[in-house]
């Protein structure tokens, strides 16, 4: 069984994807070709914002967003400790200090009730993560941010396509970023990412930053980097785009079916009213995770853990002085979460096999 079945997706979409790739090979504009701007227009319209800036990957997207906000050494950026390393890593690479706020135990996202207490005179931005495919509580987060005059960056690497009170992920804050890593809900065949905003000045700055800070050839008003989205990757995403809405619907249906079948057996993802999830990962909580994973592996079912060690306990952040017990909810989640096979082509028979194996493993 595949954990994420990209091969079935490609077989389903092969003519459209192959045609898009061939068009790039024919015109030869491999760097910043017309497909990049075409994709940006499509995605901005979908999200409901004025600007989408295609970039090299989701990690670079975070850095470009921070650079656009002029985050400086010594600044503080608030985020969650329960996420992939890239979120805290980019803050630190800017010379800023990641300031962690404990997670909500139900959604696993940053708890907005604890946000204000983390704000100091050095705070320059708030970067919540929309984990596992479900948006963080942006109305509450934005309210605190507005009170203190702070921009909000959504790390939407896992949530592109999710809805929050009628709005789309990546259209909920000052800036947003996403990833098109192959396993994401909308994935390319290599690395890719994007930044989103309604702010014209920030959009212009991000477009400059991704091409070494230039606004015209060999003229560089700001420091930048090589952060472009490859034309071929944009073409692949355009080839996938016509069926993306159907895949989001399939993810929602499969996720809901998992939750229904696993109710009362394990802790399943919970969606508050007004939220949807694209289930970039379908993640449960279990006791004795190692034993459960071993049981599923013996049954031929792959699993994964996102993420076993919270950021404050990573060796690279030891200098922050945040030892075990600093964020008990995040630490407990790191010990208990486990992700099951999840993709839009997961049929009911395969899903039932996963559910039966989970039931047997926790019995």
């Amino acid at each position: 069984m595949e954990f994420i079945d990209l091969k079935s997706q490609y077989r389903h979409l092969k003519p459209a994807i192959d045609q898009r790739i061939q068009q790039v090979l024919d015109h030869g504009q491999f760097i910043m070709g017309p497909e990049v701007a075409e994709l940006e227009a499509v995605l901005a319209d979908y999200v409901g914002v004025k600007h989408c800036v295609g970039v090299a990957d989701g990690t670079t997207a975070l850095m470009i967003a921070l650079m656009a906000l002029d985050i400086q050494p010594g600044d503080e950026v608030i985020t969650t400790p329960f996420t992939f390393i890239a979120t805290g890593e980019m803050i630190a690479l800017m010379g800023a200090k990641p300031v962690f706020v404990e997670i909500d135990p139900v959604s696993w996202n940053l708890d907005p009730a604890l946000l204000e207490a983390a704000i100091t005179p050095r705070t320059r931005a708030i970067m919540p993560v929309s984990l596992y495919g479900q948006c963080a509580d942006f109305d509450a987060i934005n309210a605190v941010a507005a009170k203190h005059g702070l921009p909000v960056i959504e790390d939407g690497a896992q949530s592109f396509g999710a809805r929050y009170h009628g709005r789309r992920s990546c259209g909920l804050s000052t800036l947003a970023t996403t990833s098109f890593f192959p396993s994401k809900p909308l994935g390319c065949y290599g690395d890719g990412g994007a930044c989103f905003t309604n702010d014209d000045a920030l959009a212009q700055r991000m477009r400059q930053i991704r091409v070494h800070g230039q606004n015209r050839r060999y003229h560089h008003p700001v420091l930048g980097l090589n952060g472009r989205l490859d034309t071929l990757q944009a073409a692949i995403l355009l080839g996938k785009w016509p069926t993306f809405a159907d895949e989001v619907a399939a993810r929602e249906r499969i996720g809901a079916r998992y939750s229904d079948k696993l109710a009362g057996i394990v802790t399943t993802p919970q969606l508050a009213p007004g939220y949807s999830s694209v289930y970039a990962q379908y993640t449960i909580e279990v006791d004795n995770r190692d034993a459960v994973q071993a049981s599923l592996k013996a049954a031929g079912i792959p699993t994964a853990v996102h993420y076993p060690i919270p950021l404050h306990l990573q060796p690279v952040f030891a200098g922050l002085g945040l030892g075990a017990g600093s964020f008990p909810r995040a630490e407990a989640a790191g010990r208990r979460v486990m992700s099951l096979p999840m993709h839009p082509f997961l049929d009911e028979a395969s899903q039932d096999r996963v559910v039966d194996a989970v039931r047997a493993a926790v019995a």
Side-chain angles (χ1 to χ4, degrees):
M1 183 182 294
E2 300 278 355
F3 186 71
I4 297 171
D5 190 355
L6 296 177
K7 287 176 264 186
S8 290
Q9 184 194 49
Y10 176 62
R11 286 192 295 269
H12 182 65
L13 299 175
K14 186 179 190 306
I17 293 172
D18 288 358
Q19 181 185 22
R20 281 288 189 170
I21 291 173
Q22 190 61 52
Q23 287 171 351
V24 177
L25 297 177
D26 289 341
H27 67 57
Q29 297 178 55
F30 300 113
I31 301 298
M32 298 301 289
E35 286 80 4
V36 175
E38 181 184 354
L39 179 70
E40 289 173 340
V42 165
L43 298 185
D45 180 69
Y46 176 78
V47 167
V49 297
K50 291 169 66 176
H51 304 285
C52 168
V53 181
V55 299
D57 53 68
T59 302
T60 301
L62 290 170
M63 174 162 270
I64 289 173
L66 291 165
M67 291 173 74
L69 293 173
D70 198 28
I71 300 300
Q72 294 291 319
D75 290 346
E76 294 178 356
V77 178
I78 295 173
T79 192
T80 168
F82 192 54
T83 181
F84 182 58
I85 186 66
T87 314
E89 181 181 43
M90 291 303 100
I91 295 168
L93 275 175
M94 295 299 296
K97 176 185 176 182
V99 174
F100 301 120
V101 167
E102 180 66 286
I103 62 170
D104 173 83
V106 177
S107 71
W108 299 301
N109 282 321
L110 183 151
D111 187 343
L114 304 175
L115 178 57
E116 192 158 26
I119 294 173
T120 77
R122 289 184 174 273
T123 306
R124 293 293 177 267
I126 302 168
M127 188 188 287
V129 176
S130 294
L131 195 70
Y132 299 150
Q134 178 182 183
C135 295
D137 187 353
F138 277 92
D139 286 346
I141 292 167
N142 288 337
V144 175
K147 179 179 175 182
H148 293 271
L150 296 170
V152 176
I153 306 168
E154 179 189 9
D155 181 345
Q158 299 176 17
S159 58
F160 192 79
R163 297 185 304 277
Y164 173 84
H165 297 297
R167 294 167 287 156
R168 299 274 186 197
S169 175
C170 295
L172 306 171
S173 53
T174 318
L175 288 165
T177 68
T178 197
S179 168
F180 303 128
F181 189 78
S183 63
K184 302 299 184 185
L186 179 62
C188 55
Y189 291 161
D191 279 312
C195 301
F196 298 86
T197 189
N198 276 313
D199 187 301
D200 295 343
L202 287 175
Q204 180 184 26
R205 191 173 175 90
M206 290 191 295
R207 292 186 190 282
Q208 292 174 2
I209 290 168
R210 74 170 169 183
V211 287
H212 299 284
Q214 71 179 18
N215 60 357
R216 62 180 187 273
R217 192 164 176 80
Y218 299 129
H219 187 261
H220 306 265
V222 298
L223 281 176
L225 45 79
N226 180 4
R228 303 170 302 221
L229 176 65
D230 285 345
T231 308
L232 275 169
Q233 300 302 343
I236 290 162
L237 292 167
L238 286 166
K240 288 186 171 191
W241 183 251
T243 62
F244 180 64
D246 292 337
E247 292 195 7
V248 168
R251 285 177 172 277
E252 292 177 359
R253 182 183 71 252
I254 293 165
R257 190 170 186 270
Y258 259 142
S259 293
D260 180 63
K261 296 279 186 180
L262 291 170
I265 300 170
V266 294
T267 300
T268 59
Q270 301 297 309
L271 297 178
Y275 289 72
S276 75
S277 178
V278 287
Y279 296 105
Q281 291 86 25
Y282 184 86
T283 302
I284 60 177
E285 284 191 40
V286 295
D287 300 320
N288 303 313
R289 182 176 63 201
D290 290 349
V292 174
Q293 284 192 284
S295 179
L296 266 65
K297 183 178 181 180
I301 294 169
T303 60
V305 176
H306 312 86
Y307 300 94
I309 304 173
L311 298 195
H312 67 286
L313 298 182
Q314 294 289 348
V316 71
F317 290 129
L320 296 175
L322 299 168
S326 297
F327 301 99
R329 295 176 189 170
E331 293 164 31
R335 292 189 297 268
R336 293 174 50 82
V337 295
M338 185 182 81
S339 299
L340 302 176
M342 179 69 195
H343 54 84
F345 299 91
L346 186 66
D347 59 62
E348 291 191 354
S350 298
Q351 193 176 19
D352 288 343
R353 184 178 153 209
V354 175
V355 170
D356 290 344
V358 171
R359 184 181 289 112
V362 302

